Amino acid sequence: MVGIIRQLFLQANSSSIDLDRTTTLTIAPLRSVRSHFENSTHYQISRDDEEWSRLIPGDGTVHLTSPISDTQEYTVSIYHQLKCLNIIRKNIVEVEHRQLQEPVFNAITPLTQHCINYLREMVLCRSDLDLETVAGRPKADIILYQYQCWDWEAVYTTVKRNQDTHGN
C-alpha cells in the first residue's frame, strides 16, 4: 500500500464507486441492515489470523481500465481500513511476544503510523453521530446498541469477481 492510494467514494444513492469521474466499479445496490454489536469471541487480537483474513477478498484491490489509462489497480477503502486494523492487531501481538525477550522493542513502523493516520482520517470523515453510553457504565460487558449498517456482500462479491478476472 505504498505510493498513492486513491480514495474511493461510495455514494449512498448510487450503485457504483466513482474513480476520478472516469472509471467506475459497478456493484449491486447495497442493502441496509440492522446490526447489534457486542463483545465477541471472534476477531480477537492474539489469535486466528485466518478469521481476520476472511474479511477481505484477496488483497482487497480491483483492476479497472479508464478511458485515459491502461488497467490501474485500486484499493477499496473498506478493505484498506480492515487491512490497517489487522496490521495494528499484528503489531500488538508482536509487541506482546517480543517484549518478553526485548524490553525496548519498538513496533512503530512507517506502515503502522500510516494505518493509525488513515483510520483517524476515516473515523473523522465517515463517523456517525449516534449517542452511546460511556464504556463501563452501568455494565462493562453488555453493549446492546443497534446500528443501521450496509450489507457489504455485494462489494465483496464484486471485488472477488474482479480479482478472479484479473488473476489475483
Side-chain angles (χ1 to χ4, degrees):
M1 289 193 278
V2 177
I4 298 174
I5 297 174
R6 296 183 186 238
Q7 187 175 356
L8 308 177
F9 296 97
L10 179 61
Q11 304 294 325
N13 298 325
S14 173
S15 63
S16 66
I17 298 173
D18 185 14
L19 303 169
D20 295 336
R21 301 182 195 276
T22 58
T23 305
T24 59
L25 174 64
T26 303
I27 57 171
L30 299 181
R31 291 183 316 119
S32 178
V33 295
R34 297 194 62 73
S35 296
H36 291 281
F37 294 110
E38 58 188 71
N39 292 330
S40 174
T41 58
H42 296 283
Y43 306 106
Q44 294 295 302
I45 290 175
S46 62
R47 64 176 192 259
D48 205 356
D49 287 347
E50 179 61 31
E51 188 171 46
W52 279 87
S53 69
R54 285 191 305 261
L55 290 171
I56 301 171
D59 62 0
T61 61
V62 293
H63 301 268
L64 301 172
T65 304
S66 78
I68 58 172
S69 71
D70 291 334
T71 300
Q72 175 76 34
E73 188 174 28
Y74 297 92
T75 300
V76 180
S77 62
I78 184 175
Y79 300 128
H80 186 182
Q81 294 162 26
L82 288 169
K83 279 189 210 180
C84 277
L85 282 175
N86 198 25
I87 287 165
I88 294 166
R89 177 191 71 85
K90 287 179 177 181
N91 279 30
I92 291 169
V93 171
E94 185 176 8
V95 167
E96 288 290 314
H97 175 73
R98 290 184 65 173
Q99 274 187 335
L100 299 174
Q101 296 101 10
E102 305 172 49
V104 294
F105 173 71
N106 182 3
I108 300 172
T109 66
L111 183 58
T112 305
Q113 187 61 53
H114 157 80
C115 285
I116 291 290
N117 285 331
Y118 178 72
L119 291 173
R120 177 187 52 81
E121 291 167 357
M122 292 302 99
V123 167
L124 290 171
C125 180
R126 299 177 180 177
S127 290
D128 64 52
L129 298 174
D130 291 348
L131 295 176
E132 302 173 341
T133 58
V134 177
R137 300 180 209 159
K139 294 182 179 180
D141 58 345
I142 299 174
I143 303 171
L144 297 175
Y145 299 114
Q146 189 175 71
Y147 292 92
Q148 189 71 32
C149 300
W150 296 111
D151 179 357
W152 292 102
E153 186 62 32
V155 177
Y156 190 100
T157 301
T158 302
V159 170
K160 183 71 176 117
R161 188 176 308 122
N162 177 279
Q163 292 170 348
D164 291 346
T165 300
H166 290 87
N168 269 17

